[in-house]
Amino acid sequence: MSEVSPQLIDRLLAISRALAGHIDPGSAFRATAIEIGTLIPHDHIDLAVLSFDGRMHACYEAGFHTSWSDLAQHPVEGSPIRRVLWGQTPYLLTDNALVDDRFHFEGAFDEPIFVAKLRSRIIVPLRARGSVIGALNISRHEAGCYTQEDVEVAQQCADLIAPYIFALIQTEEARRAMLAESEARNRAELLRVGASQLTEGMERERRRMAMDLHDQTLGDLARIARQVSAFRSRGMARAAQLADLEQEVAGCLAELRHIVDDMRPSVLELFGLRDAVEAHLNRSVARAKPPIAVRIADTSDGGADNMPETLRTALYRIVQEAINNAVRHAGPSRIDVQLSSTASAFSVSVTDDGHGCGVIDPGGQGGIGHMHTRAALVGARLRFEPASRKGGTRVVIEIDREAPKGEAVAAERMAAEAM
């Protein structure tokens, strides 16, 4: 290698000064691109930075952008410069990358080379702590622009910026890890508080059911028992009296079934989510005045019935509350329920043509707050949106088929206790 000139030292120092003060790899690199350009003229320059496992890489571009930087990460095995990233060659120098087979192979993400007409190219590795952490890529539209001396200068630039870029990447990863940990703690706390509120709500509902049983069903049964006792003391009963008695017993049975179904949705267990939702939908609108038309459509091919019981029950309870809210508060003439699925997610939507629900407070008390809590407990996404420009509300519940693990185990335990 030839002796380093004072001019080169000055430009390298300028690159070092350009790095100062930046807190992310992209902005730091873009700040140095102009200074590198005074040493090696270029039409395009980018930095490929490896992930910590070495299987993916991110691309930071300066000047005009290509599809290399459209995605956050690219597989290294598809990179046109993978030989440098894998450490298989100390550098790549080409007079015309459009026809150089080293950049083109089956599965190569080489489209930008042709689109941007990147003919002359220099690719040198970035090294930190003795390992390749990425590559500096310098290109021009014209063919035959670069020499071996340019490769040596490019490597000096890469050696200068690599430690700084590596430090910024580590700092960024540490910041992301801290944010993720903080978010996980916040979610856990929100789930804990939400589960507590949900449990309190369920306890109030149980007390209400106990009062209903005491004040209505048990009262009806006591009256029936007195009538039977009177029939026995008289030794006979008329047909009309027996018919009235039969009707009262049937009413008690219906009321008990309704209470039991509210406590444990047996239709859900026996026939699945679709039939359970349809049964609740029909029961909810049975006495509505004016009548409410209903429709349920299932294009999910029974997707929900392969989910864990806790998850199915949570989905059913959310849909149940959405239907109840529409019937009680929206004044709709129609309610539609749609069950659908994709390869990655399952969703249920409840749509009404009522007067809308206004601003939703996810942390509020009552039914809507419980809906959000149930959704959070099982990792579902819940949203409320206008059904159309004319009004109405659509409630959408979505859940990934493969729920994330980790906090999901604790959440499922809390969900099971609160169902």
Side-chain angles (χ1 to χ4, degrees):
M1 179 177 173
S2 60
E3 184 179 348
V4 179
S5 67
Q7 292 81 5
L8 177 56
I9 293 176
D10 287 342
R11 300 324 307 165
L12 292 175
L13 288 174
I15 292 173
S16 178
R17 288 192 295 269
L19 286 169
H22 296 280
I23 61 173
D24 71 88
S27 65
F29 171 64
R30 287 188 292 273
T32 66
I34 296 175
E35 299 296 339
I36 293 174
T38 63
L39 293 170
I40 308 174
H42 56 263
D43 296 310
H44 181 267
I45 183 169
D46 69 271
L47 205 65
V49 179
L50 289 171
S51 61
F52 283 108
D53 61 10
R55 292 183 297 179
M56 307 290 288
H57 74 285
C59 182
Y60 302 96
E61 296 180 293
F64 70 88
H65 286 244
T66 71
S67 54
W68 278 328
S69 59
D70 286 345
L71 297 177
Q73 295 279 319
H74 294 279
V76 173
E77 63 182 4
S79 172
I81 62 168
R82 62 184 185 180
R83 295 177 62 188
V84 172
L85 295 174
W86 283 340
Q88 294 176 345
T89 185
Y91 63 87
L92 287 171
L93 171 65
T94 183
D95 287 336
N96 191 349
L98 273 64
V99 295
D100 192 330
D101 291 339
R102 292 177 297 175
F103 296 91
H104 312 295
F105 47 86
E106 185 177 356
F109 188 19
D110 54 3
E111 178 189 17
I113 293 176
F114 297 103
V115 173
K117 297 180 174 57
L118 305 179
R119 292 182 174 87
S120 297
R121 303 201 76 203
I122 299 173
I123 294 91
V124 293
L126 298 170
R127 291 189 179 89
R129 294 187 176 180
S131 301
V132 174
I133 64 163
L136 174 64
N137 313 297
I138 304 172
S139 306
R140 293 197 71 176
H141 298 316
E142 296 82 6
C145 294
Y146 297 132
T147 66
Q148 187 66 37
E149 185 177 348
D150 292 319
V151 173
E152 294 175 1
V153 173
Q155 188 63 69
Q156 288 175 321
C157 294
D159 291 343
L160 179 64
I161 67 175
Y164 195 91
I165 296 296
F166 181 70
L168 288 178
I169 291 170
Q170 285 199 315
T171 302
E172 193 173 70
E173 289 296 323
R175 184 167 59 248
R176 287 174 183 166
M178 290 176 62
L179 288 173
E181 183 179 354
S182 176
E183 289 174 359
R185 286 198 301 266
N186 290 339
R187 283 197 301 271
E189 179 62 17
L190 287 173
L191 289 174
R192 186 191 66 78
V193 173
S196 176
Q197 292 176 346
L198 186 57
T199 302
E200 291 175 5
M202 295 303 99
E203 185 59 34
R204 288 194 298 271
E205 187 65 13
R206 292 187 185 101
R207 288 196 295 268
R208 183 192 64 79
M209 290 179 180
M211 292 175 64
D212 288 346
L213 284 171
H214 180 273
D215 297 342
Q216 182 171 337
T217 307
L218 292 180
D220 291 342
L221 289 173
R223 186 177 63 257
I224 291 170
R226 289 193 296 271
Q227 289 176 314
V228 171
S229 178
F231 294 158
R232 186 178 59 185
S233 64
R234 290 197 298 265
M236 62 177 295
R238 295 191 299 273
Q241 292 175 315
L242 291 174
D244 291 341
L245 187 63
E246 181 181 11
Q247 187 174 2
E248 290 195 39
V249 171
C252 289
L253 289 173
E255 183 65 26
L256 283 171
R257 286 195 185 98
H258 181 71
I259 293 173
V260 170
D261 284 345
D262 278 346
M263 294 176 66
R264 188 73 175 177
S266 57
V267 178
L268 177 64
E269 296 175 351
L270 295 174
F271 301 106
L273 182 64
R274 192 260 182 216
D275 288 350
V277 170
E278 183 177 29
H280 181 75
L281 181 62
N282 290 328
R283 186 168 68 240
S284 297
V285 303
R287 298 181 182 179
K289 299 294 182 183
I292 300 173
V294 298
R295 185 183 73 91
I296 184 167
D298 184 3
T299 59
S300 69
D301 194 25
D305 298 324
N306 295 321
M307 297 179 182
E309 179 184 353
T310 300
L311 188 53
R312 283 201 317 273
T313 303
L315 287 174
Y316 173 75
R317 293 302 193 193
I318 296 171
V319 174
Q320 187 181 42
E321 187 64 34
I323 292 171
N324 291 344
N325 287 341
V327 173
R328 294 170 184 168
H329 309 299
S333 63
R334 183 181 182 86
I335 298 176
D336 291 318
V337 179
Q338 173 76 48
L339 288 77
S340 59
S341 65
T342 63
S344 59
F346 175 85
S347 67
V348 187
S349 64
V350 179
T351 306
D352 68 72
D353 62 354
H355 50 66
C357 57
V359 178
I360 299 297
D361 178 11
Q365 300 290 328
I368 291 179
H370 291 167
M371 291 169 69
H372 280 281
T373 299
R374 289 187 193 278
L377 285 171
V378 296
R381 297 177 292 278
L382 175 66
R383 68 177 187 270
F384 295 76
E385 59 191 29
S388 69
R389 292 182 179 179
K390 296 180 180 179
T393 302
R394 179 178 293 109
V395 181
V396 182
I397 310 103
E398 295 177 318
I399 188 160
D400 295 332
R401 288 186 177 275
E402 293 186 6
K405 296 181 181 178
E407 67 191 64
V409 175
E412 184 172 344
R413 186 182 303 115
M414 286 190 291
E417 294 172 353
M419 288 302 117

